[in-house]
Amino acid sequence: MISFDYLTIAYIINFILLSIATYTDIKTREIPHIITIIMLIINLPLGFYLFGFEAIWAFLSTLILCLILGIGMGGGDIKLFTVLAPIFLFAGTILYIPKAILILIGISAGISAFYPMLNILKKYWKEIIPSSAYLAMVLGIIIYIISFYNVPYAILFVWGYIILSVFISRKVSGYKEFTKKAGFFAPLYLIGLYLLDYNYFVNNQMLLQFLVYVGELSLISIVIYALTGAEISSKKLVKDLKEGDILRDIITIEGNSVTVEGANILKRFKLMVDAEIGKNETENKKILMTDGEGLYKEDLELLQKLHKEGKIPNELNLITTYPFVPFVLAGYIAVLVLHYYFNLF
Protein backbone atom coordinates (compact mmCIF):
# COMPACT_ATOMS: atom_id res chain seq x y z
CA MET A 1 0.00 0.00 0.00
CA ILE A 2 2.89 2.37 0.81
CA SER A 3 4.50 1.63 -2.55
CA PHE A 4 1.26 2.44 -4.31
CA ASP A 5 0.95 5.74 -2.41
CA TYR A 6 4.51 6.76 -3.27
CA LEU A 7 3.98 5.87 -6.91
CA THR A 8 0.68 7.71 -7.03
CA ILE A 9 2.32 10.87 -5.74
CA ALA A 10 5.19 10.44 -8.20
CA TYR A 11 2.79 9.94 -11.11
CA ILE A 12 0.86 13.10 -10.17
CA ILE A 13 4.06 15.16 -9.91
CA ASN A 14 5.31 13.79 -13.24
CA PHE A 15 1.95 14.60 -14.81
CA ILE A 16 2.25 18.22 -13.65
CA LEU A 17 5.83 18.47 -14.92
CA LEU A 18 4.88 16.93 -18.29
CA SER A 19 1.98 19.38 -18.53
CA ILE A 20 4.38 22.30 -18.00
CA ALA A 21 6.77 20.82 -20.58
CA THR A 22 3.84 20.45 -22.99
CA TYR A 23 2.99 24.13 -22.63
CA THR A 24 6.57 25.29 -23.20
CA ASP A 25 7.02 22.88 -26.13
CA ILE A 26 3.92 24.25 -27.83
CA LYS A 27 4.88 27.87 -27.15
CA THR A 28 8.63 27.87 -27.73
CA ARG A 29 9.49 24.33 -28.95
CA GLU A 30 11.77 24.03 -25.92
CA ILE A 31 11.73 21.89 -22.78
CA PRO A 32 13.30 23.58 -19.75
CA HIS A 33 16.18 21.44 -18.49
CA ILE A 34 14.96 21.94 -14.94
CA ILE A 35 11.89 19.80 -15.70
CA THR A 36 13.86 16.71 -16.71
CA ILE A 37 16.27 17.30 -13.81
CA ILE A 38 13.40 17.40 -11.29
CA MET A 39 11.88 14.27 -12.83
CA LEU A 40 15.24 12.52 -12.58
CA ILE A 41 15.77 13.57 -8.95
CA ILE A 42 12.32 12.24 -8.02
CA ASN A 43 12.03 9.13 -10.16
CA LEU A 44 15.46 7.51 -9.95
CA PRO A 45 15.76 7.43 -6.11
CA LEU A 46 12.10 6.41 -5.75
CA GLY A 47 12.49 3.70 -8.36
CA PHE A 48 15.58 2.37 -6.58
CA TYR A 49 13.72 2.42 -3.25
CA LEU A 50 10.74 0.51 -4.65
CA PHE A 51 12.32 -1.78 -7.26
CA GLY A 52 16.01 -1.94 -6.33
CA PHE A 53 18.71 -2.17 -9.00
CA GLU A 54 16.11 -3.08 -11.59
CA ALA A 55 15.20 0.62 -11.67
CA ILE A 56 18.84 1.55 -12.40
CA TRP A 57 19.05 -0.99 -15.22
CA ALA A 58 15.73 0.28 -16.58
CA PHE A 59 17.06 3.85 -16.57
CA LEU A 60 20.29 2.90 -18.37
CA SER A 61 18.62 0.60 -20.91
CA THR A 62 15.96 3.19 -21.75
CA LEU A 63 18.69 5.83 -22.07
CA ILE A 64 20.46 3.66 -24.67
CA LEU A 65 17.18 3.13 -26.53
CA CYS A 66 16.48 6.87 -26.51
CA LEU A 67 19.95 7.66 -27.81
CA ILE A 68 19.30 5.27 -30.70
CA LEU A 69 15.87 6.79 -31.36
CA GLY A 70 17.46 10.22 -31.08
CA ILE A 71 19.14 9.75 -34.49
CA GLY A 72 16.91 11.99 -36.55
CA MET A 73 14.18 12.30 -33.91
CA GLY A 74 15.65 14.76 -31.47
CA GLY A 75 16.96 14.16 -27.98
CA GLY A 76 15.37 16.86 -25.81
CA ASP A 77 11.83 15.55 -25.70
CA ILE A 78 12.39 11.86 -26.29
CA LYS A 79 14.72 11.59 -23.28
CA LEU A 80 11.67 12.19 -21.11
CA PHE A 81 11.07 8.46 -21.52
CA THR A 82 14.41 7.81 -19.80
CA VAL A 83 13.58 9.71 -16.62
CA LEU A 84 10.17 8.03 -16.46
CA ALA A 85 11.60 4.51 -16.77
CA PRO A 86 12.52 3.92 -13.07
CA ILE A 87 8.89 4.26 -11.94
CA PHE A 88 7.28 2.37 -14.85
CA LEU A 89 8.33 -1.16 -13.92
CA PHE A 90 4.87 -2.41 -12.96
CA ALA A 91 4.51 -4.43 -16.21
CA GLY A 92 7.96 -6.06 -16.26
CA THR A 93 10.77 -5.47 -18.72
CA ILE A 94 12.10 -6.49 -22.13
CA LEU A 95 15.90 -6.36 -22.25
CA TYR A 96 15.68 -4.34 -19.00
CA ILE A 97 13.49 -1.73 -20.73
CA PRO A 98 10.10 -1.39 -18.96
CA LYS A 99 7.29 -2.77 -21.11
CA ALA A 100 5.16 0.19 -20.06
CA ILE A 101 7.79 2.57 -21.47
CA LEU A 102 7.82 0.69 -24.78
CA ILE A 103 4.03 0.99 -24.89
CA LEU A 104 4.33 4.68 -23.99
CA ILE A 105 6.83 5.23 -26.82
CA GLY A 106 4.55 3.38 -29.24
CA ILE A 107 1.46 5.38 -28.28
CA SER A 108 3.34 8.70 -28.42
CA ALA A 109 4.92 7.91 -31.79
CA GLY A 110 1.59 6.70 -33.19
CA ILE A 111 -0.25 9.86 -32.17
CA SER A 112 2.58 12.11 -33.39
CA ALA A 113 2.52 10.37 -36.80
CA PHE A 114 -1.20 11.02 -37.24
CA TYR A 115 -0.98 14.72 -38.18
CA PRO A 116 1.74 14.53 -40.86
CA MET A 117 0.07 11.42 -42.32
CA LEU A 118 -3.27 13.23 -42.39
CA ASN A 119 -1.64 16.18 -44.17
CA ILE A 120 -0.08 13.86 -46.75
CA LEU A 121 -3.50 12.27 -47.35
CA LYS A 122 -5.09 15.72 -47.75
CA LYS A 123 -2.44 16.75 -50.26
CA TYR A 124 -2.22 13.52 -52.29
CA TRP A 125 -5.62 11.86 -51.85
CA LYS A 126 -6.43 12.18 -55.56
CA GLU A 127 -3.45 9.90 -56.21
CA ILE A 128 -3.58 7.65 -53.16
CA ILE A 129 -7.27 6.64 -53.10
CA PRO A 130 -7.68 5.64 -56.81
CA SER A 131 -4.29 3.87 -56.83
CA SER A 132 -5.21 2.01 -53.63
CA ALA A 133 -8.50 0.96 -55.25
CA TYR A 134 -6.53 -0.42 -58.22
CA LEU A 135 -4.13 -2.31 -55.95
CA ALA A 136 -7.03 -3.64 -53.85
CA MET A 137 -8.60 -4.89 -57.08
CA VAL A 138 -5.35 -6.59 -58.13
CA LEU A 139 -4.97 -8.07 -54.65
CA GLY A 140 -8.51 -9.41 -54.68
CA ILE A 141 -8.11 -10.99 -58.13
CA ILE A 142 -4.82 -12.69 -57.25
CA ILE A 143 -6.17 -13.97 -53.92
CA TYR A 144 -9.23 -15.34 -55.75
CA ILE A 145 -6.99 -17.19 -58.19
CA ILE A 146 -4.60 -18.62 -55.60
CA SER A 147 -7.53 -19.67 -53.39
CA PHE A 148 -8.03 -22.56 -55.83
CA TYR A 149 -4.37 -23.60 -55.68
CA ASN A 150 -2.17 -24.37 -52.73
CA VAL A 151 0.70 -22.00 -53.52
CA PRO A 152 3.05 -21.74 -50.48
CA TYR A 153 3.82 -18.20 -49.33
CA ALA A 154 2.00 -16.78 -52.35
CA ILE A 155 0.41 -14.01 -50.29
CA LEU A 156 3.87 -12.75 -49.27
CA PHE A 157 4.84 -12.30 -52.91
CA VAL A 158 1.52 -10.59 -53.59
CA TRP A 159 2.06 -8.02 -50.81
CA GLY A 160 5.65 -7.61 -51.99
CA TYR A 161 4.35 -6.67 -55.41
CA ILE A 162 1.81 -4.28 -53.88
CA ILE A 163 4.45 -2.39 -51.87
CA LEU A 164 6.87 -2.34 -54.82
CA SER A 165 4.08 -0.98 -56.99
CA VAL A 166 3.58 2.00 -54.67
CA PHE A 167 7.31 2.75 -54.75
CA ILE A 168 7.35 2.55 -58.56
CA SER A 169 4.36 4.86 -58.83
CA ARG A 170 6.31 7.46 -56.83
CA LYS A 171 9.16 7.35 -59.34
CA VAL A 172 7.45 6.65 -62.70
CA SER A 173 4.79 9.20 -63.58
CA GLY A 174 3.35 7.06 -66.38
CA TYR A 175 2.76 4.13 -64.05
CA LYS A 176 1.22 6.48 -61.48
CA GLU A 177 -1.28 7.75 -64.03
CA PHE A 178 -2.09 4.17 -65.05
CA THR A 179 -2.83 3.08 -61.45
CA LYS A 180 -4.98 6.18 -60.86
CA LYS A 181 -7.12 5.54 -63.95
CA ALA A 182 -7.28 1.77 -63.40
CA GLY A 183 -8.65 2.34 -59.91
CA PHE A 184 -11.92 3.63 -61.38
CA PHE A 185 -12.59 0.14 -62.77
CA ALA A 186 -12.90 -1.26 -59.23
CA PRO A 187 -16.75 -1.18 -59.25
CA LEU A 188 -16.73 -3.25 -62.45
CA TYR A 189 -14.36 -5.73 -60.77
CA LEU A 190 -16.74 -6.12 -57.80
CA ILE A 191 -19.78 -6.53 -60.06
CA GLY A 192 -17.91 -9.03 -62.24
CA LEU A 193 -16.77 -11.11 -59.25
CA TYR A 194 -20.32 -11.06 -57.86
CA LEU A 195 -21.73 -12.40 -61.13
CA LEU A 196 -18.89 -14.89 -61.66
CA ASP A 197 -18.90 -16.50 -58.22
CA TYR A 198 -21.80 -15.37 -56.05
CA ASN A 199 -21.03 -17.81 -53.21
CA TYR A 200 -17.39 -16.75 -53.00
CA PHE A 201 -18.38 -13.06 -53.05
CA VAL A 202 -20.92 -13.45 -50.24
CA ASN A 203 -19.07 -15.96 -48.06
CA ASN A 204 -15.89 -13.88 -48.07
CA GLN A 205 -17.72 -10.54 -47.72
CA MET A 206 -15.81 -9.22 -50.71
CA LEU A 207 -17.28 -5.72 -50.63
CA LEU A 208 -16.21 -5.22 -47.01
CA GLN A 209 -12.87 -6.90 -47.72
CA PHE A 210 -12.28 -4.58 -50.68
CA LEU A 211 -12.92 -1.50 -48.51
CA VAL A 212 -10.55 -2.86 -45.84
CA TYR A 213 -7.88 -3.43 -48.50
CA VAL A 214 -8.31 0.15 -49.76
CA GLY A 215 -7.85 1.43 -46.21
CA GLU A 216 -4.76 -0.71 -45.58
CA LEU A 217 -3.21 0.16 -48.94
CA SER A 218 -3.92 3.87 -48.44
CA LEU A 219 -2.10 3.71 -45.10
CA ILE A 220 0.84 1.86 -46.68
CA SER A 221 0.90 4.42 -49.49
CA ILE A 222 0.98 7.34 -47.06
CA VAL A 223 3.95 5.80 -45.23
CA ILE A 224 5.79 5.17 -48.51
CA TYR A 225 4.97 8.69 -49.70
CA ALA A 226 6.52 10.06 -46.49
CA LEU A 227 9.62 7.86 -46.88
CA THR A 228 10.09 8.96 -50.48
CA GLY A 229 9.94 12.68 -49.85
CA ALA A 230 6.30 13.70 -49.51
CA GLU A 231 6.69 15.23 -46.07
CA ILE A 232 4.74 18.43 -45.65
CA SER A 233 7.29 21.19 -46.05
CA SER A 234 7.43 24.93 -46.45
CA LYS A 235 9.90 27.52 -47.65
CA LYS A 236 11.57 30.08 -45.43
CA LEU A 237 13.92 32.96 -46.14
CA VAL A 238 17.47 32.35 -44.95
CA LYS A 239 17.40 35.59 -42.97
CA ASP A 240 14.29 34.39 -41.10
CA LEU A 241 15.70 31.01 -40.05
CA LYS A 242 16.00 30.40 -36.33
CA GLU A 243 17.40 27.80 -33.98
CA GLY A 244 15.37 24.60 -33.97
CA ASP A 245 14.19 24.88 -37.60
CA ILE A 246 14.60 21.56 -39.41
CA LEU A 247 15.83 21.80 -42.98
CA ARG A 248 14.52 19.42 -45.60
CA ASP A 249 17.45 20.48 -47.77
CA ILE A 250 20.91 19.02 -47.42
CA ILE A 251 23.75 21.48 -48.02
CA THR A 252 27.08 20.06 -49.13
CA ILE A 253 30.16 22.30 -48.95
CA GLU A 254 33.17 20.98 -50.83
CA GLY A 255 35.94 23.51 -51.28
CA ASN A 256 34.38 26.55 -52.94
CA SER A 257 31.48 24.52 -54.29
CA VAL A 258 28.15 24.52 -52.45
CA THR A 259 25.15 22.39 -53.46
CA VAL A 260 21.62 22.46 -52.03
CA GLU A 261 19.65 19.26 -52.47
CA GLY A 262 16.22 18.23 -51.21
CA ALA A 263 16.23 14.81 -49.57
CA ASN A 264 13.60 12.36 -48.40
CA ILE A 265 13.53 10.60 -45.04
CA LEU A 266 15.44 7.55 -46.21
CA LYS A 267 18.33 9.57 -47.62
CA ARG A 268 18.51 11.84 -44.58
CA PHE A 269 18.50 8.82 -42.27
CA LYS A 270 21.34 7.21 -44.24
CA LEU A 271 23.39 10.41 -44.10
CA MET A 272 22.72 10.74 -40.37
CA VAL A 273 23.98 7.21 -39.77
CA ASP A 274 27.04 7.98 -41.92
CA ALA A 275 27.63 11.09 -39.84
CA GLU A 276 27.48 9.05 -36.63
CA ILE A 277 30.29 6.80 -37.89
CA GLY A 278 32.28 9.74 -39.28
CA LYS A 279 31.78 8.78 -42.92
CA ASN A 280 30.28 12.01 -44.25
CA GLU A 281 32.93 14.66 -43.82
CA THR A 282 36.53 15.05 -44.90
CA GLU A 283 38.97 17.94 -44.65
CA ASN A 284 37.54 19.53 -47.80
CA LYS A 285 33.93 18.43 -47.45
CA LYS A 286 31.19 19.39 -45.00
CA ILE A 287 27.55 18.33 -45.04
CA LEU A 288 25.03 20.54 -43.26
CA MET A 289 21.97 18.51 -42.39
CA THR A 290 19.56 19.01 -39.50
CA ASP A 291 18.15 16.19 -37.40
CA GLY A 292 15.35 16.30 -34.83
CA GLU A 293 17.19 18.95 -32.80
CA GLY A 294 17.06 21.40 -35.72
CA LEU A 295 19.50 24.16 -36.58
CA TYR A 296 22.08 25.29 -34.04
CA LYS A 297 23.49 28.81 -33.69
CA GLU A 298 26.66 27.90 -35.59
CA ASP A 299 24.53 26.44 -38.41
CA LEU A 300 22.64 29.70 -38.72
CA GLU A 301 25.88 31.68 -38.85
CA LEU A 302 27.20 29.42 -41.61
CA LEU A 303 23.99 29.72 -43.63
CA GLN A 304 23.99 33.51 -43.31
CA LYS A 305 27.60 33.57 -44.52
CA LEU A 306 26.86 31.32 -47.51
CA HIS A 307 23.82 33.40 -48.40
CA LYS A 308 25.80 36.65 -48.35
CA GLU A 309 28.34 35.03 -50.65
CA GLY A 310 25.53 34.05 -53.05
CA LYS A 311 26.21 30.32 -52.70
CA ILE A 312 22.74 29.29 -51.51
CA PRO A 313 19.29 30.53 -52.60
CA ASN A 314 17.22 33.10 -50.73
CA GLU A 315 14.82 30.42 -49.48
CA LEU A 316 15.34 26.93 -48.08
CA ASN A 317 12.88 24.10 -47.56
CA LEU A 318 11.83 23.30 -43.99
CA ILE A 319 10.02 20.21 -42.71
CA THR A 320 6.77 21.01 -40.97
CA THR A 321 7.10 19.70 -37.41
CA TYR A 322 4.84 19.37 -34.41
CA PRO A 323 5.59 19.64 -30.67
CA PHE A 324 6.29 16.11 -29.41
CA VAL A 325 5.80 16.49 -25.64
CA PRO A 326 1.98 16.76 -25.93
CA PHE A 327 2.04 13.29 -27.49
CA VAL A 328 4.24 12.03 -24.66
CA LEU A 329 1.73 13.42 -22.17
CA ALA A 330 -1.16 11.74 -24.01
CA GLY A 331 0.74 8.44 -24.03
CA TYR A 332 1.59 8.84 -20.34
CA ILE A 333 -2.07 9.27 -19.42
CA ALA A 334 -3.11 6.38 -21.70
CA VAL A 335 -0.62 3.95 -20.15
CA LEU A 336 -1.69 4.79 -16.60
CA VAL A 337 -5.38 4.50 -17.50
CA LEU A 338 -4.78 1.13 -19.20
CA HIS A 339 -2.89 -0.07 -16.13
CA TYR A 340 -5.04 1.20 -13.24
CA TYR A 341 -8.54 1.16 -14.72
CA PHE A 342 -8.40 -1.70 -17.23
CA ASN A 343 -5.65 -3.84 -15.65
CA LEU A 344 -4.28 -4.66 -19.10
CA PHE A 345 -0.74 -5.04 -17.78
Side-chain angles (χ1 to χ4, degrees), residues 250-288:
I250 295 175
I251 300 172
T252 304
I253 306 167
E254 194 164 5
N256 292 322
S257 175
V258 179
T259 58
V260 179
E261 176 189 11
N264 59 41
I265 292 175
L266 293 176
K267 184 168 184 179
R268 288 201 304 274
F269 181 78
K270 178 182 180 301
L271 289 173
M272 286 175 186
V273 173
D274 289 344
E276 291 293 318
I277 62 177
K279 186 178 177 181
N280 276 347
E281 298 185 5
T282 64
E283 291 183 2
N284 298 319
K285 182 179 179 181
K286 176 180 176 62
I287 297 179
L288 177 58

Side-chain angles (χ1 to χ4, degrees), residues 13 55 124 148 166 176 192 248 251 253 332 340:
I13 294 174
Y124 296 100
F148 293 99
V166 179
K176 181 196 297 183
R248 189 180 187 278
I251 300 172
I253 306 167
Y332 177 85
Y340 282 112

